[in-house]
C-alpha cells in the first residue's frame, strides 16, 4: 500500500528542525494539515506512522469528552499491540510498518470485517496470501524483495508475467464502501441521530462542543466523514454493550 512508501511529509523532516512542529499542533489548519503536523511532531517513528494513518488524533477526541472522562492521548506499546520483544526483531522501517499493519488494521479491521460479512451471507472466504506458510515465508524475506526501486510487492512482479495481461495490469480495487455514500443527507441525518442521542443519554460527551461539530456543513465530506463514521461506530458499540 502507498503508506509503505516514503512520503513527501517524511522528506520535510530532513529539511526542517523537529522542535518547530509540536508548537504548531494547536493551529486551526484543517484535518489534512493537522494529520501532517501530528506526523511531523511525533516523538518517534512508530507514533508518526500511526498518526499519518488515523483520521483524527486522540487529543481531538479527548476534547469532545467531558473532563471527568480522561482519555489516553498517546499511542503506547499496549494499544498498538506490539511488544518490546517484537520490536527487537525489526530489521528496518518496512518491518515496523508491516507489523503495525498485521496486528492492527489487518487483525482487528479487515480480517474481522471480512469474516463477519462473509459468514452473515453463508460464504466461506479463502485468502491464499494468509496461509500460515506464506505469511511465515514473507516475514523471513528481506525488505528489498518487498519494495525495490519504488516497485511495490517486488517479489510478486516477475510472477505477474505468468498471468494474462488483462489480469496482471488490472487496476487494484479496494474493498471499501464508495465515499460518496457517507456525504449523503441520509447519512448525515443518521450521524446526527446516533451521535447526539447517545451524547444526551450517556453524558459522556461535552454536548455543547459536540453538537456544532456533528451538524457542521463540513462534517459530511472528506476526513470529517471518516471521523463521524468512527464516532457513530463507537456510539453503536456503547449502546449495544455498555
Amino acid at each position: 500500500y502507498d503508506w509503505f512508501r516514503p512520503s513527501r511529509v517524511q522528506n520535510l523532516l530532513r529539511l526542517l528542525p523537529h522542535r518547530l512542529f509540536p508548537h504548531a499542533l494547536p493551529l486551526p489548519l484543517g484535518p489534512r494539515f493537522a494529520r501532517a503536523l501530528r506526523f511531523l511532531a511525533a516523538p518517534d517513528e512508530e507514533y508518526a506512522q500511526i498518526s499519518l494513518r488515523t483520521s483524527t488524533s486522540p487529543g481531538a477526541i479527548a476534547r469532545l469528552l467531558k473532563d471527568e472522562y480522561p482519555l489516553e492521548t498517546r499511542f503506547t506499546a499496549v494499544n498498538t499491540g506490539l511488544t518490546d520483544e517484537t520490536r527487537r526483531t525489526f530489521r528496518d522501517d518496512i518491518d515496523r510498518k508491516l507489523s503495525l499493519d498485521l496486528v492492527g488494521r489487518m487483525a482487528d479491521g479487515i480480517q474481522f470485517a471480512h469474516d463477519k460479512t462473509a459468514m452473515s451471507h453463508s460464504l466461506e472466504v479463502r485468502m491464499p496470501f494468509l496461509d500460515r506458510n506464506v505469511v511465515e515465508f514473507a516475514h523471513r524475506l528481506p525488505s528489498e524483495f518487498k519494495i525495490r526501486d519504488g516497485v511495490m510487492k517486488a517479489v510478486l512482479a516477475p510472477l505477474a508475467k505468468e498471468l494474462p495481461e488483462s489480469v496482471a495490469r488490472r487496476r487494484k480495487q479496494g474493498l471499501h464502501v464508495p465515499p460518496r455514500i457517507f456525504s449523503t443527507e441520509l447519512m448525515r441525518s443518521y450521524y446526527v441521530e446516533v451521535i447526539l442521542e447517545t451524547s444526551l443519554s450517556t453524558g459522556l460527551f461535552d454536548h455543547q462542543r459536540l453538537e456544532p461539530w456533528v451538524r457542521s456543513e463540513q462534517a459530511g465530506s472528506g476526513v470529517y466523514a471518516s471521523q463521524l463514521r468512527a464516532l457513530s461506530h463507537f456510539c453503536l458499540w456503547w449502546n449495544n454493550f455498555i
Side-chain angles (χ1 to χ4, degrees):
Y1 292 93
D2 284 340
W3 56 76
F4 289 102
R5 302 178 194 269
S7 72
R8 285 174 289 183
V9 181
Q10 283 174 299
N11 294 334
L12 273 176
L13 284 176
R14 302 188 189 99
L15 301 174
L16 298 170
H18 173 270
R19 63 181 179 276
L20 292 176
F21 299 113
H23 298 293
L25 281 174
L27 294 176
L29 297 174
R32 292 189 185 280
F33 282 107
R35 181 160 47 178
L37 273 176
R38 288 199 305 275
F39 175 87
L40 294 167
D44 57 59
E45 180 68 22
E46 187 174 307
Y47 187 82
Q49 290 301 327
I50 297 172
S51 298
L52 197 61
R53 287 168 49 189
T54 51
S55 58
T56 190
S57 69
I61 298 169
R63 286 191 288 275
L64 295 175
L65 294 171
K66 283 188 174 177
D67 293 338
E68 57 262 40
Y69 299 111
L71 180 74
E72 172 60 61
T73 57
R74 165 148 171 79
F75 295 107
T76 64
V78 173
N79 54 32
T80 59
L82 294 178
T83 64
D84 289 337
E85 183 181 11
T86 299
R87 285 181 176 80
R88 284 193 288 271
T89 69
F90 295 159
R91 293 165 293 193
D92 50 36
D93 187 46
I94 297 297
D95 262 3
R96 182 194 296 111
K97 291 177 181 178
L98 285 169
S99 295
L100 282 170
D101 225 35
L102 193 67
V103 300
R105 181 174 161 275
M106 292 282 284
D108 294 333
I110 291 176
Q111 305 312 323
F112 181 79
H114 279 202
D115 193 47
K116 290 281 187 184
T117 305
M119 290 294 99
S120 70
H121 292 280
S122 302
L123 293 175
E124 186 75 34
V125 176
R126 292 283 183 259
M127 301 181 186
F129 281 111
L130 294 186
D131 177 84
R132 185 183 183 93
N133 291 328
V134 175
V135 171
E136 290 178 348
F137 170 71
H139 275 313
R140 293 194 299 271
L141 276 179
S143 292
E144 59 263 29
F145 287 97
K146 297 168 184 175
I147 301 178
R148 183 185 300 153
D149 298 327
V151 175
M152 309 293 277
K153 301 183 181 178
V155 75
L156 293 178
L159 297 178
K161 295 175 183 176
E162 305 297 321
L163 298 170
E165 191 80 0
S166 60
V167 174
R169 296 194 174 277
R170 185 174 59 191
R171 185 180 178 188
K172 186 174 182 175
Q173 282 186 283
L175 299 174
H176 61 268
V177 178
R180 64 181 180 278
I181 288 175
F182 297 105
S183 60
T184 62
E185 193 57 41
L186 185 63
M187 284 305 299
R188 293 190 59 184
S189 299
Y190 163 80
Y191 292 143
V192 168
E193 179 183 346
V194 170
I195 296 171
L196 296 186
E197 284 189 9
T198 302
S199 173
L200 290 171
S201 64
T202 63
L204 280 172
F205 301 97
D206 185 319
H207 196 78
Q208 285 188 318
R209 280 197 296 241
L210 179 70
E211 184 170 13
W213 179 74
V214 173
R215 293 185 184 275
S216 119
E217 285 300 311
Q218 296 173 300
S221 60
V223 177
Y224 288 102
S226 64
Q227 293 173 352
L228 280 175
R229 198 156 65 242
L231 189 54
S232 68
H233 291 169
F234 167 79
C235 290
L236 290 172
W237 169 80
W238 182 277
N239 294 335
N240 273 288
F241 298 105
I242 306 297

